[in-house]
């Protein structure tokens, strides 16, 4: 009988995270014939859709474009009820997928990863969880995503509050009763903007604390009709082709024109159609030059300001809700229903943190420079440590002394937004530079598909190591640094630059070249000797 050696593994592919991307990565690994396992920190599957369960948490990408598209049978078997589904339906869908493809037995929940260390001589990753379990794997796919580490504001006294306090990104599983309560919501991004209309009619009072106004626009949700579902099914091949090839990863029909094609009067009429467009259509269906033509963007901003003034009855509140320091799209815009209308309700108030900053939280409520307000519930809708938050907290240590918690202190360096030099056999789809500003699951699917093709290539050609070279990484990062200044996103305001986390380096965390640049650079790598140069083989008593 042969004893275990340093080269033995418990599983070939270890997936970390059972969210949308992690579930797909597990499915692809098993379907390709690898032994695979998933470690998930939560007690159920869903990732961000497991933890973000506050009232009216929902997609702002169309349900069927955000969902999986690798199986038409899956699409036909699952019936979305709304164009933009709410969290309970999303979580049910992801559980349906897990059971439909027999993935549950491979998913170990309640297993938060605390360290992942690479043994170079053995070519093995040793992963340890908070429970003390240890898993040895050849390949790691860390699908922890960019929205998995809730960020709390840098305010004194957060732990002193004697009432109930929650973060929208880590919501309790038992329903929170807001009826008759005095509530504070700190933050006006997508989650805060979704929560306010959901509770405004049942609370005693709700104060929304706003640091920077955002260009919030209507979601324009609707039931998913039988006719629409039938059309999607009958045109499935075209739908999939569009979702897998379009720069945005949506089905939205582009405007097909630049703003110069229209008169000023025609542009105003066009803006009315954009106001009624679904979700991200405010960006993807807009004029081609909306994000590059400053004067056009300012014209659209003034149109939106007019809409806000027309909805919000109190003129002082209306002006506080209108951004004056960034263009439309410079911050990730929320797409919600009845946000501005909520401020017409007697229970709702807007508190500008620019005018009256928070001094501290105490046992009974919140003190600002103006006054003290008592609350029963405080909700922190302050977003996430985007991009790097999870990866730098997992104790990842690669080759030649690489330690992500230290080496990424000044910003991440990677290749393709999913791999890095000195991180052999370690992939992180959806990580830093792992999204292009469009439909997140479609972009991440591209990355997972490329990762699995790489693993299959390694298996077929006798390789057991993949690591992008320093030249690969430098070329990718040069593209990021060259194109980032041309992005619409604001380094001062956008969480895509880490601007919501005090002390975090202001480094662009998306791929400013978007999906086309990702496809271009991965295509170049896969078709040249660069690809072969990233593979290797450990020669020892096991790998002969």
């Amino acid at each position: 009988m042969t004893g275990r050696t340093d080269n033995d593994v418990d599983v070939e592919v270890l997936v970390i995270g059972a969210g949308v991307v992690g579930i797909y990565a597990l499915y692809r690994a098993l379907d390709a014939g690898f032994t695979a396992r998933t470690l998930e920190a939560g007690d159920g599957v869903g990732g961000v859709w497991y933890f973000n369960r506050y009232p009216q948490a929902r997609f702002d990408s169309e349900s069927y474009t955000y969902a999986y598209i690798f199986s038409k049978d899956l699409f036909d078997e699952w019936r979305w009820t709304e164009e933009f589904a709410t969290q309970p339906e999303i979580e049910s869908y992801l559980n349906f997928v897990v059971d439909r493809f027999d993935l549950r037995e491979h998913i170990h929940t309640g297993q938060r990863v605390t360290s992942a260390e690479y043994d170079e001589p053995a070519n093995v990753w040793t992963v340890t969880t908070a429970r003390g379990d240890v898993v040895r794997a050849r390949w790691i796919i860390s699908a922890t995503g960019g929205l998995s580490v809730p960020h709390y504001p840098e305010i004194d006294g957060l732990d002193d509050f004697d009432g109930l306090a929650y973060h929208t990104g880590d919501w309790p599983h038992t329903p929170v009763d807001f009826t008759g309560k005095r509530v504070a919501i700190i933050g006006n991004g997508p989650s805060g903007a979704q929560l306010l209309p959901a509770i405004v009619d049942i609370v005693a009072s709700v104060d929304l604390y706003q640091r920077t106004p955002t260009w919030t626009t209507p979601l324009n949700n609707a039931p998913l009709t039988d006719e629409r579902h039938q059309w999607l099914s009958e045109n499935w091949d075209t739908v999939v082709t569009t979702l897998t090839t379009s720069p945005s990863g949506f089905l939205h029909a582009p405007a097909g024109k630049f703003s110069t094609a229209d008169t000023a009067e025609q542009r105003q009429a066009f803006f009315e159609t954009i106001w009624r467009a679904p979700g991200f259509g405010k960006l993807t269906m807009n004029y081609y030059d909306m994000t590059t033509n400053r004067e056009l963007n300012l014209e659209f901003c003034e149109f939106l300001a007019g809409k806000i003034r027309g909805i919000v009855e109190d003129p002082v509140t209306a002006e506080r809700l209108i951004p004056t320091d960034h263009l439309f799209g410079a911050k990730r815009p929320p797409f919600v229903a009845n946000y501005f209308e909520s401020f017409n309700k007697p229970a709702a108030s807007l508190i500008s943190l620019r005018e009256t900053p928070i001094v501290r939280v105490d046992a009974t409520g919140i003190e600002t420079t103006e006054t003290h307000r008592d609350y029963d519930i405080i909700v922190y809708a302050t977003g996430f440590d985007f991009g790097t938050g999870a990866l730098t907290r997992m104790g990842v240590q690669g080759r030649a002394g690489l330690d992500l918690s230290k080496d990424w202190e000044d910003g991440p360096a990677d290749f393709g937004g999913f791999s890095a030099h000195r991180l052999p056999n370690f992939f992180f789809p959806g990580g830093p530079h792992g999204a292009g500003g469009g439909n997140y699951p479609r972009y991440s699917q591209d990355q997972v598909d490329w990762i699995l093709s790489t693993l299959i290539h390694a298996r077929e050609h006798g390789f057991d190591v993949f690591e992008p070279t320093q030249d690969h990484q430098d070329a990718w990062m040069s593209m990021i640094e060259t194109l980032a200044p041309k992005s619409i996103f604001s380094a001062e305001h956008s969480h895509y630059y880490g601007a919501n986390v005090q002390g975090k380096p202001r480094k662009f965390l998306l791929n400013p070249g978007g999906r086309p640049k990702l496809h271009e650079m991965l295509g170049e790598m896969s078709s040249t000797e660069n690809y072969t140069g990233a593979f290797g083989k450990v020669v020892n008593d096991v790998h002969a």
Side-chain angles (χ1 to χ4, degrees):
M1 179 176 180
T2 302
R4 177 171 180 147
T5 73
D6 289 342
N7 309 92
D8 289 337
V9 295
D10 300 305
V11 67
E12 291 175 292
V13 178
L14 180 65
V15 179
I16 302 174
V20 174
V21 178
I23 291 171
Y24 181 63
L26 177 64
Y27 165 79
R28 284 296 321 275
L30 292 169
D31 189 58
F34 293 99
T35 59
R37 184 186 306 176
T38 293
L39 299 179
E40 163 57 41
D43 292 327
V45 303
V48 67
W49 298 112
Y50 176 82
F51 290 103
N52 288 248
R53 52 180 65 242
Y54 56 88
Q56 287 302 304
R58 69 169 67 239
F59 284 151
D60 55 11
S61 301
E62 285 84 355
S63 305
Y64 42 84
T65 67
Y66 191 101
Y68 300 113
I69 58 173
F70 64 85
S71 166
K72 184 177 186 299
D73 288 342
L74 173 62
F75 174 80
D76 287 335
E77 291 168 15
W78 180 267
R79 184 68 162 79
W80 294 104
T81 63
E82 295 180 275
E83 290 282 331
F84 302 93
T86 56
Q87 184 276 333
E89 187 173 2
I90 300 165
E91 186 181 10
S92 295
Y93 167 75
L94 293 173
N95 276 279
F96 176 81
V97 173
V98 165
D99 292 328
R100 168 68 172 75
F101 295 97
D102 298 322
L103 304 179
R104 196 170 298 277
E105 66 179 291
H106 303 281
I107 300 174
H108 297 240
T109 58
Q111 294 280 20
R112 183 175 298 277
V113 171
T114 56
S115 72
E117 300 178 358
Y118 181 64
D119 181 342
E120 185 171 2
N123 187 32
V124 171
W125 280 92
T126 300
V127 177
T128 305
T129 73
R131 289 184 179 179
D133 291 352
V134 177
V135 182
R136 292 165 57 82
R138 182 77 62 221
W139 309 93
I140 302 289
I141 302 178
S142 181
T144 50
L147 304 176
S148 56
V149 178
H151 171 67
Y152 286 82
E154 295 80 8
I155 300 172
D156 289 339
L158 294 188
D159 295 331
D160 295 338
F161 184 56
D162 288 337
L164 301 174
Y166 307 104
H167 193 290
T168 50
D170 190 16
W171 202 258
H173 284 245
T174 55
V176 177
D177 185 6
F178 286 97
T179 306
K181 304 298 185 184
R182 300 165 299 173
V183 180
I185 300 174
I186 300 178
N188 60 311
S191 57
Q194 287 180 337
L195 179 61
L196 175 64
I199 66 173
V200 68
D201 289 327
I202 62 173
V203 297
S205 64
V206 53
D207 297 330
L208 187 136
Y209 287 77
Q210 169 190 274
R211 181 181 63 176
T212 306
T214 58
W215 290 113
T216 302
T217 55
L219 179 63
N220 296 321
N221 191 21
L224 184 60
T225 64
D226 292 340
E227 292 76 16
R228 178 62 170 164
H229 184 85
Q230 182 178 349
W231 183 91
L232 291 166
S233 181
E234 291 175 350
N235 294 274
W236 183 249
D237 290 343
T238 301
V239 167
V240 170
T241 298
T242 301
L243 293 176
T244 53
T245 59
S246 66
S248 68
F250 289 105
L251 290 179
H252 303 150
K257 59 183 175 180
F258 288 88
S259 60
T260 51
D262 287 341
T263 65
E265 182 178 355
Q266 289 171 329
R267 286 196 298 273
Q268 289 298 306
F270 178 76
F271 290 157
E272 287 288 350
T273 66
I274 293 298
W275 177 259
R276 296 190 296 272
F280 276 92
K282 315 298 188 307
L283 287 164
T284 60
M285 301 170 72
N286 218 314
Y287 288 116
Y288 287 152
D289 51 337
M290 176 53 64
T291 60
T292 58
N293 183 335
R294 178 177 174 82
E295 294 306 313
L296 170 65
N297 199 302
L298 286 170
E299 186 179 345
F300 185 54
C301 288
E302 188 53 40
F303 169 84
L304 297 177
K307 287 292 188 182
I308 296 170
R309 294 184 183 109
I311 295 171
V312 180
E313 296 169 359
D314 175 50
V316 175
T317 299
E319 293 307 312
R320 286 175 176 157
L321 288 166
I322 296 173
T324 59
D325 57 1
H326 66 273
L327 299 174
F328 179 72
K331 291 181 69 174
R332 199 277 201 197
F335 307 109
V336 299
N338 300 315
Y339 175 66
F340 295 119
E341 291 84 350
S342 295
F343 291 102
N344 296 330
K345 304 290 181 71
S349 296
L350 178 70
I351 298 173
S352 171
L353 295 179
R354 289 182 171 177
E355 299 173 17
T356 58
I358 293 175
V359 175
R360 63 171 289 108
V361 175
D362 61 22
T364 60
I366 297 175
E367 178 186 350
T368 68
T369 55
E370 175 192 34
T371 189
H372 182 281
R373 296 175 177 86
D374 290 340
Y375 296 109
D376 303 303
I377 301 174
I378 297 177
V379 176
Y380 298 103
T382 46
F384 301 86
D385 185 351
F386 178 78
T388 58
L391 288 168
T392 56
R393 288 169 169 83
M394 289 200 314
V396 178
Q397 298 185 39
R399 185 179 63 77
L402 180 69
D403 182 337
L404 292 192
S405 67
K406 299 176 181 177
D407 289 82
W408 282 9
E409 282 182 339
D410 295 326
D414 58 85
F415 170 76
F418 61 79
S419 62
H421 184 55
R422 294 197 290 158
L423 276 183
N425 299 356
F426 191 104
F427 304 94
F428 42 91
H433 310 129
N439 191 356
Y440 176 80
R442 300 286 68 82
Y443 190 103
S444 297
Q445 175 185 308
D446 295 344
Q447 295 178 313
V448 171
D449 287 344
W450 196 88
I451 291 166
L452 262 297
S453 294
T454 296
L455 268 58
I456 293 169
H457 178 88
R459 182 175 62 189
E460 291 177 346
H461 292 81
F463 297 118
D464 56 11
V465 179
F466 174 87
E467 177 189 343
T469 67
Q470 188 67 57
D471 287 344
H472 295 150
Q473 185 161 292
D474 288 347
W476 174 263
M477 293 305 299
S478 176
M479 181 275 293
I480 298 291
E481 292 162 7
T482 299
L483 297 183
K486 302 177 183 180
S487 167
I488 185 67
F489 296 111
S490 165
E492 181 182 356
H493 301 292
S494 177
H495 71 279
Y496 294 138
Y497 273 93
N500 63 317
V501 179
Q502 184 174 332
K504 188 169 182 174
R506 295 295 181 265
K507 297 294 181 67
F508 195 54
L509 297 170
L510 295 180
N511 165 17
R515 202 178 192 187
K517 182 59 71 172
L518 174 72
H519 287 180
E520 175 190 328
M521 294 191 74
L522 292 184
E524 289 176 357
M525 184 173 186
S526 299
S527 62
T528 69
E529 63 183 17
N530 289 335
Y531 195 48
T532 301
F535 288 94
K537 184 173 180 63
V538 174
V539 180
N540 48 45
D541 60 337
V542 172
H543 304 290

